[in-house]
Amino acid sequence: IIGLISLKNELEWQADQIEILSTATDSFNNTLIRENLLNKVQESLTETESLYTASHNLALAEEMQGMLAAIVEGVNIPAINRGVLVLFEHDDQNQISRMSVEANYHTGQGTPPPARGTEYLVSLYTSIFVTENPAFYDDLLEIQLEKSLQDILTRQNIRSMVVLPLWSGNQQLGVVLLQTSQKHVFSPQEMRTYPPLSGQMSTSIQNLRLFEETQSALSETELLYKISSGISKSKSMEELVRLVGENVLPSTSDTLWLCTSAFNTSTKEY
C-alpha cells in the first residue's frame, strides 16, 4: 500500500496528483513482482545446480563411500555434519534380517557416525528406517519414538535427520541417513532435491553389486581354466601339488599334502 497522510490540514487531491500516485503505485508494484520473480528463478537455478552436481558426482563414484559423499556434499546443507549408508539383508521370506553400516561421512564437527560394519537392531530401527518415501525430521525430540530409540538418538547427538529409502522393485535395499547435531527445519527446496538422488543411488548400488558379482564370476572362471589347463599339462604329482597350492590353498595355510594308496586286486582293499 502506498499513500500519504496529512495530520494538519484536509488535503484535496487533484486529478494530476492522483494520476502521478497511480503511476508510482504501478511502478512499485511491477518492481516488487520482478524482484519476487527473480528470487524464485535464482532459487530454482540454485536447486537445479545442486541436483546436477550431486547427480554428476554420484554417477562418477565407484564405491559406496563416494556415493554417500556425493549426496551430502552435492546438496550442501551446512547443518548436516554426518551421513550414514545402511544396507539391509533379507531372509527367504523377503523380511529384513540384518541392518549394517556400509559407508559413513563426517564433516569433522560433532559426534562422528557409526563405523562401517556397525549393526542396527532390526526390531528397534524398523519403525524409522522402513519407509516408502523420504522422511524429514526437523526435531527428533518432538516426534513419538520408543524411549530406548529416543535415548540412543539423544546420546548420539542427533537432533534433525533425513531418511532416504533405497528401493529396487518391491524390495528396500537400505537407507541413507543425513543427520544434524542442531535443530534444522528442512526447506521445501531441500525436500525436493533429495528424492531423485535416492532413486539414482539405488540404481548405482544395484549396478555396483552386479559389477562385483560379474567380476567374482570371471575370476572364478579364470581360476578354473588355469587349474584345468595346468592339470592337463602336469607331468608329475609334484607339479599337481604345486598347482593346487599356488591357486587354491588358503592364505592361512602353509602346507599341502597329497596322499596316495594302492588297490589290492586280490583282497579288493586299499
Side-chain angles (χ1 to χ4, degrees):
I1 297 175
I2 300 175
L4 297 174
I5 298 177
S6 176
L7 300 178
K8 295 182 178 180
N9 303 311
E10 183 178 348
L11 184 63
E12 183 177 348
W13 294 98
Q14 302 299 318
D16 58 338
Q17 293 175 323
I18 294 175
E19 184 177 353
I20 291 172
L21 287 175
S22 178
T23 302
T25 300
D26 290 341
S27 178
F28 274 114
N29 186 49
N30 291 333
T31 300
L32 292 174
I33 291 176
R34 285 197 300 271
E35 288 183 355
N36 185 48
L37 181 60
L38 181 61
N39 290 336
K40 289 183 178 180
V41 170
Q42 187 60 50
E43 289 178 2
S44 179
L45 288 174
T46 302
E47 181 180 341
T48 302
E49 183 179 1
S50 296
L51 181 58
Y52 171 79
T53 300
S55 178
H56 179 68
N57 291 337
L58 183 55
L60 294 177
E62 298 181 351
E63 35 77 37
M64 296 186 192
Q65 197 75 17
M67 295 178 190
L68 180 60
I71 290 182
V72 179
E73 296 174 356
V75 180
N76 189 27
I77 299 177
I80 292 177
N81 62 340
R82 56 183 171 247
V84 185
L85 170 61
V86 182
L87 294 185
F88 301 163
E89 292 183 10
H90 299 78
D91 57 23
D92 296 336
Q93 284 72 45
N94 200 32
Q95 299 299 310
I96 299 173
S97 59
R98 185 169 178 258
M99 298 175 171
S100 60
V101 176
E102 183 63 31
N104 56 34
Y105 179 95
H106 188 220
T107 63
Q109 302 295 321
T111 305
R116 294 180 63 184
T118 301
E119 294 194 21
Y120 288 87
L121 187 61
V122 175
S123 60
L124 185 61
Y125 284 89
T126 295
S127 60
I128 57 174
F129 283 4
V130 178
T131 175
E132 292 186 9
N133 302 307
F136 295 84
Y137 300 103
D138 294 337
D139 193 344
L140 290 169
L141 297 178
E142 296 179 355
I143 65 173
Q144 294 295 326
L145 293 173
E146 285 189 46
K147 186 179 183 307
S148 55
L149 178 55
Q150 188 71 267
D151 291 342
I152 292 174
L153 296 175
T154 300
R155 286 198 302 270
Q156 294 178 346
N157 295 318
I158 302 173
R159 185 68 182 272
S160 301
M161 182 167 68
V162 181
V163 179
L164 302 176
L166 304 173
W167 284 89
S168 177
N170 62 350
Q171 186 179 80
Q172 187 175 352
L173 305 177
V175 290
V176 171
L177 308 175
L178 306 174
Q179 303 166 339
T180 75
S181 298
Q182 304 296 325
K183 180 179 177 179
H184 176 77
V185 178
F186 295 98
S187 68
Q189 176 186 342
E190 293 165 349
M191 290 189 283
R192 287 193 302 266
T193 304
Y194 283 119
L197 295 175
S198 64
Q200 183 182 349
M201 189 164 186
S202 297
T203 302
S204 297
I205 290 175
Q206 286 291 75
N207 290 341
L208 181 60
R209 285 177 167 176
L210 180 60
F211 175 77
E212 291 174 346
E213 291 173 0
T214 302
Q215 289 294 102
S216 178
L218 286 173
S219 298
E220 183 178 345
T221 301
E222 291 176 358
L223 178 60
L224 290 174
Y225 174 79
K226 182 178 181 179
I227 293 176
S228 177
S229 176
I231 289 175
S232 64
K233 297 177 182 178
S234 297
K235 298 179 181 179
S236 65
M237 292 294 184
E238 286 78 8
E239 290 186 8
L240 286 175
V241 172
R242 187 182 307 110
L243 178 67
V244 174
E246 292 176 350
N247 295 280
V248 182
L249 189 67
S251 59
T252 55
S253 303
D254 55 10
T255 304
L256 179 65
W257 295 86
L258 175 63
C259 300
T260 61
S261 60
F263 183 71
N264 190 319
T265 57
S266 300
T267 61
K268 295 184 179 181
E269 295 178 346
Y270 285 97

